Every structure is written in structure tokens, then in C-alpha cells.
């Protein structure tokens, strides 16, 4: 297994000094020789957390934006994201031009493992607990993309150059156990991180709630696998017995982003403006799908105007995978992402400022997870209240308010929980809107799991009616761990399902 190494290049974290992802990663280093810098835990931890946030905000949002039904491309972007638009597995896994979800995930796992080893040596249980929770988060992502992956044999560098793969089901279970262990470590910790914890500032309760929320997300991912019913009930009971519940605010990373190249909020800098205020290429290339616009409009949803610009008083979208150059799909004739410059120099919806925090898990998503779990009878509570809490949290975040009046929206028959004939479908439909541009990748996961909402597939799909099911194992693995890759069997983008995808 090839691991490109995360270097521990950090500046002092005084008053949340900003950290750049590019300072942590150097793909030219020996993949089997992790650099052991003489850095303290409070210097290493923020590096790992910021890279986790960058991966979520940029790489995973890009994939989920296109495969989750939110994004297409303008005429200017017709040649952009070709591998994703055509579901081209070999191109996606290509070492030079592909999308390195495998490499970036294991990079960060390797760094968390280095921090974990140091934390164990120093008996710093809070740091150890954080690492275990975040490692589980990245293992879930790997399984969601690749299914079977190395776990027990992973992260050992040159001591094991050919790590064996474990089933996605087992990796999920072991990752849930990692969170349980991490929560236990945090609860008994005496040495607490402070500003170096750029996620929760050393708050034990918030980390425990975050761990429980990740668990609930992972258990719901398995909802359609009948054989997992008893396991799910067992793990849900552990969450209930632990008693802390789930996050009550956005779980968001902010190291103190600056208006400096590579030190800005990663979504802002990648999809909106650079530090000189100049629009980046993605700002012209990426456009909302007409499906997204139509969905917003079918609910009379004011979040549409908070997230996108209008063209002559109307919202204009594109069709995912359309390669036809037409005047209607030019950047100047289609709606763009809305940020402060298009909003009277005030924070807009998704794009607020170069210094905005990067959300790992939103309060809105957590509330919809609770609503679904309640509706399924897994946990106690009132599903309609959790559902409305999710809508409220989404509106509050996008409109930059503490208590946006969502009642007119919720009262609509098409939104009202009590009016829904298929309540889980209604939960997921509203969750899809709330995930938009925050955790796009979870929308793709929900679509594979449940088929909601009815996202159109790409016009450039090589097989009519086919949807992407996974990523292929990368060339880095084929070149260095080929026997174990071949043992996994079919891993085609359109043909091989992830273990929890049984629809």
C-alpha cells in the first residue's frame, strides 16, 4: 500500500494561526518512511484536523456535488471533471490525474496514527480519543468509496508492504468500536487540549456528542442490510446508555483562516475567490443542476436565492453530464454560487467569508439522522420535531440567523411531516437540501442507500440508466499490493456495490 506522507510542517498556533493543507502534504516523500518531527501533540493535532476539514470541504464536496445531483458544468467547464461526468473508473483511479480519495484518506490516517502513538506514550488520553474518533471517520469514508480496505494491517509503513484487506462490514464495525474507545478515553482524560483543538476547543461533551453522531450516521448507512438488524440495535443501545446524545451545533473546524493564499477557508478558495478577490476557474465552471433548482422551486424554498445568483430575475441551471455547447449553458447565462460580492458585501448562504469555519458534520444533518432513527424505531423521541429541527438548523446557517422563521416553509403540504405518506423519503428529501455544498458526499451515500431523491444520472454515462456505485481501487494499490487488490474481485464503478448498498 502506498502512503504519501503528511509532513508535520506547522507554525505556532498562537491565537489560531492559520494552517495550510499544502504545508502538511508532500507527495514526493518516501511513502514508507514517515517523518518523525520533534513536535508536541498540540502542534500535530491541528494539522490533522485541518486536513480532515480540507478533504471534506474540497475533494468530497466536489465528488458529491456532481454525483449527488447538485452540480453540473457550464460551457466553460465542459472539459472539467470529465472522469466524474462519464463515470470513468480507470481515469478516476489514475495516479497522475485521478482523484486520490484513497491516498488522501490514508495520508491523514497515518498522521492520526502517529499522534495516537505519541499520545499513548505520553498518557494523553484526550488526544488519543480524538485520534480514534477521527480515524473512524476516515475509515468510514474509505469503505463508502472502496468497500473492502486494509484496517488491521494498515498504517504500519515498511513493516508490512502488502497489507491484507478486510471486509467493509468488518471495517465499519471496528471503526464504530474505535469511536467507543475514543469516547471512553476522552471521558477520563485529565490533560485537555485548548486552542490546538480547532474543532471543539477541548470540550469533552462536544467530542462525545460528535462521536455518537458519527456512530449514528454509520449505523443508518446499514439500515437496508437485514442481517445487521441485531447489531444496529446493540450499538444504538450503547449510544443510549452512554447518554450524551448528539451534536447540538455545527461540528466545524476553524484554525483562524486568513485572506492569504492557501490559508483561506478551503471551499471559499477552491470554488469562489482567491485572496486577491479574483474569481477562480471553478466559479465559472460549476453551476447548479436544473434538477436542484426545480427541487428548490417546488418547495418555494428561499434557500435558492441565498445560495445562487439570478439571471435577469430567474435561476438558470445546467444538466449534469451535458457536453453540448449551447448559449443557454454559458457561464454568463447560468446561475453562479452566491457569495459576499453578489450579496451586498454581506455573508451569503454557503459562502460567507474567507474566514468561515469548515463544517465536518452539520447540526442539520445530525437532526435528520435523529429523525430517521426515531422514525425507524431505533431511538426514542418525536420524529417530526427532529425533522423540523433539521430544517430550522439549515435555514439558520444559510441565513446567518439564530432563529429564522421556518414555519411558512414547514406548513406547506409538500414539506409538512404529518402530510407525508412516506416519511423517511420526506426526511431524506429535506436532508438532501440541507447537505448541499456542506456535506455533498453524504447525499450520494443516501442515494445509493435509499434512492432518494430521484437524482438524474449523467447524460455522459457510458450505460443508459446507470449510476456510479463506488470508486475502483487506485493505481497506487495495483502497483504495490496487486495480489490483495485482485482478491477483492470486481470493483467496477458501475457494477460493484458497497456492502451496505443492497437496493
Amino acid at each position: 500500500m502506498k502512503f504519501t506522507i503528511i509532513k508535520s510542517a506547522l507554525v505556532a498556533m498562537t491565537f489560531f494561526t492559520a494552517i495550510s493543507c499544502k504545508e502538511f502534504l508532500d507527495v514526493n516523500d518516501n511513502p514508507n518512511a514517515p517523518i518523525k518531527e520533534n513536535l508536541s501533540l498540540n502542534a500535530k493535532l491541528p494539522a490533522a484536523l485541518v486536513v480532515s476539514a480540507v478533504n471534506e470541504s474540497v475533494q468530497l464536496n466536489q465528488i458529491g456535488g456532481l454525483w449527488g445531483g447538485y452540480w453540473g458544468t457550464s460551457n466553460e467547464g465542459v472539459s472539467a471533471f470529465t472522469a466524474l461526468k462519464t463515470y470513468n473508473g480507470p481515469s478516476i483511479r489514475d495516479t497522475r490525474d485521478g482523484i486520490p480519495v484513497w491516498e488522501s484518506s490514508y495520508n491523514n490516517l497515518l498522521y492520526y496514527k502517529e499522534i495516537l502513538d505519541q499520545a499513548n506514550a505520553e498518557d494523553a488520553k484526550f488526544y488519543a480519543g480524538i485520534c480514534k474518533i477521527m480515524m473512524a471517520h476516515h475509515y468510514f469514508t474509505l469503505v463508502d468509496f472502496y468497500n473492502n480496505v486494509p484496517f488491521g494491517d494498515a498504517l504500519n509503513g515498511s513493516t508490512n508492504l502488502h497489507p491484507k484487506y478486510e471486509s467493509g462490514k468488518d471495517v465499519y464495525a471496528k471503526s464504530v468500536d474505535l469511536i467507543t474507545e475514543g469516547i471512553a478515553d476522552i471521558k477520563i482524560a485529565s490533560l485537555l487540549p485548548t486552542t490546538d483543538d480547532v474543532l471543539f476547543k477541548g470540550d469533552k461533551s462536544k467530542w462525545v456528542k460528535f462521536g455518537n453522531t458519527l456512530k449514528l450516521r454509520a449505523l443508518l448507512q446499514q439500515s437496508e442490510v437485514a442481517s445487521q438488524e441485531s447489531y444496529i440495535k446493540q450499538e444504538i443501545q450503547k449510544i443510549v446508555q452512554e447518554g450524551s446524545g448528539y451534536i447540538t451545533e455545527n461540528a466545524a473546524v476553524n484554525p483562524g483562516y486568513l485572506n492569504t493564499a492557501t490559508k483561506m477557508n478551503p471551499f471559499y478558495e477552491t470554488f469562489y475567490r482567491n485572496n486577491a478577490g479574483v474569481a477562480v476557474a471553478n466559479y465559472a465552471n460549476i453551476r447548479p443542476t436544473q434538477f436542484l433548482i426545480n427541487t428548490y422551486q417546488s418547495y418555494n424554498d428561499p434557500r435558492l436565492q441565498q445560495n445562487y445568483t439570478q439571471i435577469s430575475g430567474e435561476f438558470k441551471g445546467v444538466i449534469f453530464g451535458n457536453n453540448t455547447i449551447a448559449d443557454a449553458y454559458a457561464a454568463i447565462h447560468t446561475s453562479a454560487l452566491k457569495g459576499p460580492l453578489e450579496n451586498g458585501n454581506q455573508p451569503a448562504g454557503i459562502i460567507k467569508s474567507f474566514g468561515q469555519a469548515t463544517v465536518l458534520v452539520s447540526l442539520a444533518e445530525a437532526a435528520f439522522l435523529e429523525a430517521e432513527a426515531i422514525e425507524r424505531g431505533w431511538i426514542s423521541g418525536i420524529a417530526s420535531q427532529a425533522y423540523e429541527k433539521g430544517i430550522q438548523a439549515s435555514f439558520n446557517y444559510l441565513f446567518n440567523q439564530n432563529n429564522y422563521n421556518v414555519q411558512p416553509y414547514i406548513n406547506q403540504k409538500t414539506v409538512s411531516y404529518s402530510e407525508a405518506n412516506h416519511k423517511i423519503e420526506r426526511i431524506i428529501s429535506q436532508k438532501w437540501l440541507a447537505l448541499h455544498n456542506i456535506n455533498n458526499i453524504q447525499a450520494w451515500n443516501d442515494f445509493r442507500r435509499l434512492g432518494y431523491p430521484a437524482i438524474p444520472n449523467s447524460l455522459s454515462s457510458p450505460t443508459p440508466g446507470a449510476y456510479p456505485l463506488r470508486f475502483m481501487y487506485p493505481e497506487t494499490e495495483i502497483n504495490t499490493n496487486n495480489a490483495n487488490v485482485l482478491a477483492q474481485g470486481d470493483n467496477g464503478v458501475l457494477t460493484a456495490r458497497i456492502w451496505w448498498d443492497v437496493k
Side-chain angles (χ1 to χ4, degrees):
M1 176 185 296
K2 179 181 178 182
F3 295 138
T4 51
I5 298 307
I6 296 180
K7 296 185 69 174
S8 305
L10 281 172
V11 295
M13 290 293 293
T14 305
F15 297 106
F16 302 101
T17 300
I19 307 166
S20 165
C21 171
K22 293 181 180 178
E23 291 177 309
F24 309 148
L25 299 175
D26 187 341
V27 298
N28 296 315
D29 285 334
N30 181 342
N32 295 313
I35 295 173
K36 298 290 186 180
E37 301 282 4
N38 185 25
L39 292 174
S40 62
L41 291 171
N42 61 11
K44 291 181 177 180
L45 178 63
L49 291 173
V50 170
V51 174
S52 293
V54 171
N55 288 343
E56 189 78 30
S57 182
V58 178
Q59 185 182 76
L60 300 187
N61 258 339
Q62 179 177 294
I63 300 164
L66 294 163
W67 284 5
Y70 302 120
W71 294 354
T73 51
S74 63
N75 290 346
E76 288 77 358
V78 70
S79 297
F81 316 115
T82 301
L84 289 173
K85 290 190 291 189
T86 58
Y87 306 151
N88 188 328
S91 292
I92 290 170
R93 75 179 181 185
D94 181 70
T95 300
R96 187 182 67 178
D97 299 319
I99 306 171
V101 172
W102 181 282
E103 293 86 347
S104 59
S105 296
Y106 274 114
N107 278 342
N108 221 20
L109 279 164
L110 185 63
Y111 198 47
Y112 279 118
K113 177 62 162 53
E114 181 179 324
I115 301 170
L116 175 60
D117 289 344
Q118 184 174 340
N120 286 336
E122 298 177 11
D123 197 30
K125 293 193 178 298
F126 204 128
Y127 288 88
I130 289 174
C131 288
K132 290 175 182 178
I133 291 171
M134 293 306 299
M135 289 172 76
H137 168 68
H138 286 291
Y139 275 120
F140 291 142
T141 297
L142 282 163
V143 172
D144 293 344
F145 274 92
Y146 299 100
N147 201 31
N148 304 336
V149 299
F151 183 89
D153 277 0
L155 314 181
N156 291 319
S158 59
T159 62
N160 189 344
L161 297 177
H162 308 291
K164 70 178 182 180
Y165 285 48
E166 299 181 39
S167 72
K169 175 184 172 182
D170 286 348
V171 174
Y172 248 58
K174 290 179 179 181
S175 297
V176 168
D177 289 344
L178 263 182
I179 296 175
T180 301
E181 294 173 16
I183 288 173
D185 286 343
I186 287 170
K187 282 186 166 184
I188 63 173
S190 56
L191 173 64
L192 275 59
T194 55
T195 56
D196 54 307
D197 173 8
V198 293
L199 186 51
F200 293 124
K201 308 301 184 290
D203 188 309
K204 287 187 176 184
S205 176
K206 291 178 181 179
W207 268 107
V208 172
K209 291 175 186 290
F210 179 65
N212 285 338
T213 304
L214 291 179
K215 275 191 182 183
L216 184 60
R217 179 200 271 176
L219 294 171
L220 281 166
Q221 204 82 294
Q222 309 170 46
S223 66
E224 306 310 294
V225 185
S227 61
Q228 289 297 97
E229 183 178 356
S230 61
Y231 168 77
I232 291 170
K233 288 181 178 179
Q234 166 190 311
E235 293 302 322
I236 287 289
Q237 190 57 35
K238 289 181 184 178
I239 297 174
V240 173
Q241 288 175 346
E242 189 284 319
S244 298
Y246 310 98
I247 60 172
T248 55
E249 61 184 46
N250 292 320
V253 168
N254 196 338
Y257 295 116
L258 301 174
N259 194 21
T260 304
T262 74
K263 297 183 186 295
M264 307 169 75
N265 171 280
F267 188 92
Y268 189 102
E269 188 172 19
T270 304
F271 300 109
Y272 184 56
R273 295 286 195 277
N274 63 21
N275 64 301
V278 178
V280 298
N282 281 328
Y283 182 70
N285 292 342
I286 292 172
R287 288 295 183 264
T289 61
Q290 194 58 48
F291 176 77
L292 173 64
I293 289 175
N294 291 346
T295 303
Y296 272 129
Q297 292 177 332
S298 71
Y299 295 121
N300 301 304
D301 196 326
R303 288 175 291 185
L304 173 58
Q305 64 190 32
Q306 191 72 352
N307 286 330
Y308 291 100
T309 61
Q310 295 184 53
I311 305 298
S312 300
E314 296 183 23
F315 294 97
K316 300 289 186 179
V318 297
I319 302 172
F320 176 49
N322 176 37
N323 287 322
T324 301
I325 302 296
D327 191 53
Y329 301 131
I332 61 171
H333 295 147
T334 47
S335 297
L337 283 164
K338 189 175 187 178
L341 291 179
E342 297 81 19
N343 197 43
N345 292 319
Q346 296 299 311
I350 297 299
I351 301 174
K352 305 177 188 301
S353 74
F354 67 82
Q356 71 187 79
T358 301
V359 178
L360 277 177
V361 179
S362 69
L363 175 59
E365 181 189 355
F368 287 120
L369 292 173
E370 288 186 67
E372 183 180 350
I374 295 168
E375 184 60 40
R376 291 182 181 277
W378 292 4
I379 60 176
S380 62
I382 301 174
S384 61
Q385 290 182 0
Y387 168 81
E388 292 181 8
K389 178 183 174 183
I391 294 173
Q392 182 74 66
S394 175
F395 275 76
N396 286 354
Y397 179 74
L398 294 175
F399 286 91
N400 309 297
Q401 296 184 19
N402 292 326
N403 193 24
Y404 185 94
N405 182 14
V406 297
Q407 211 55 52
Y409 180 80
I410 290 174
N411 287 343
Q412 298 179 98
K413 186 174 182 178
T414 53
V415 179
S416 169
Y417 196 77
S418 63
E419 295 284 348
N421 292 323
H422 303 285
K423 297 194 184 301
I424 289 178
E425 180 178 2
R426 183 145 299 187
I427 292 168
I428 300 302
S429 296
Q430 286 299 318
K431 181 185 175 187
W432 182 76
L433 291 170
L435 289 169
H436 174 220
N437 286 352
I438 299 173
N439 294 109
N440 288 342
I441 203 65
Q442 296 304 322
W444 179 48
N445 288 342
D446 280 340
F447 178 74
R448 287 184 292 167
R449 175 171 68 101
L450 297 169
Y452 306 139
I455 299 167
N457 74 330
S458 174
L459 290 186
S460 298
S461 172
T463 304
Y467 289 85
L469 302 173
R470 58 173 293 152
F471 271 19
M472 301 177 78
Y473 292 115
E475 287 186 352
T476 50
E477 275 294 276
I478 294 172
N479 294 336
T480 61
N481 198 19
N482 191 49
N484 281 314
V485 171
L486 292 177
Q488 309 314 307
D490 179 26
N491 72 129
V493 170
L494 301 177
T495 56
R497 295 179 181 271
I498 302 305
W499 75 277
W500 48 254
D501 177 10
V502 298
K503 284 291 187 181

